[in-house]
Amino acid sequence: QLQLVESGGGSVQPGGSLRLSCAASGFTLDDYTIGWFRQAPGKEREGVSCIRKNDGRAYYADSVKGRFTISRDNAKNTVSLQMNSLTPEDTAVYYCAAKAPVFRLCDLADRNYNNWGPGTQVTVNS
């Protein structure tokens, strides 16, 4: 069973940056399409970004396009989410998730992902 763990969350002022990482043990993350999702208090979970297995093609939600960058570090077996120009609206618990290895399509529908990390809190305030 693939197990994912997020790290890198914290508190930052508006305009600041954070880098989240998603790690797995015992499995090669490049064999999986990975998505980042977030859930703010009282709101539904929303897709932020995803990166396709094997070729690294990425996709972003309009709300983060130009500010967030998803990437893989295959040597470290991690998927990172670099978040710049953060605003209070980015405050949420951030989750990484993996699709079943047979699925390559990169999309932001959380129902299509079946392995989830426990999440990491990101708070943006002054």
Side-chain angles (χ1 to χ4, degrees), residues 34-38 44-51 57-70 81-82 84 89-90 94 106-109 113:
I34 301 295
W36 281 98
F37 297 81
R38 66 186 181 186
E44 292 187 356
R45 187 164 55 192
E46 65 168 332
V48 173
S49 181
C50 59
I51 188 164
R57 182 167 293 184
Y59 180 78
Y60 299 92
D62 288 343
S63 59
V64 305
K65 202 172 293 183
R67 300 189 299 123
F68 290 12
T69 303
I70 193 170
L81 185 69
Q82 177 67 41
N84 299 327
E89 288 68 37
D90 296 314
Y94 283 71
C106 183
D107 64 73
L108 299 183
Y113 292 77

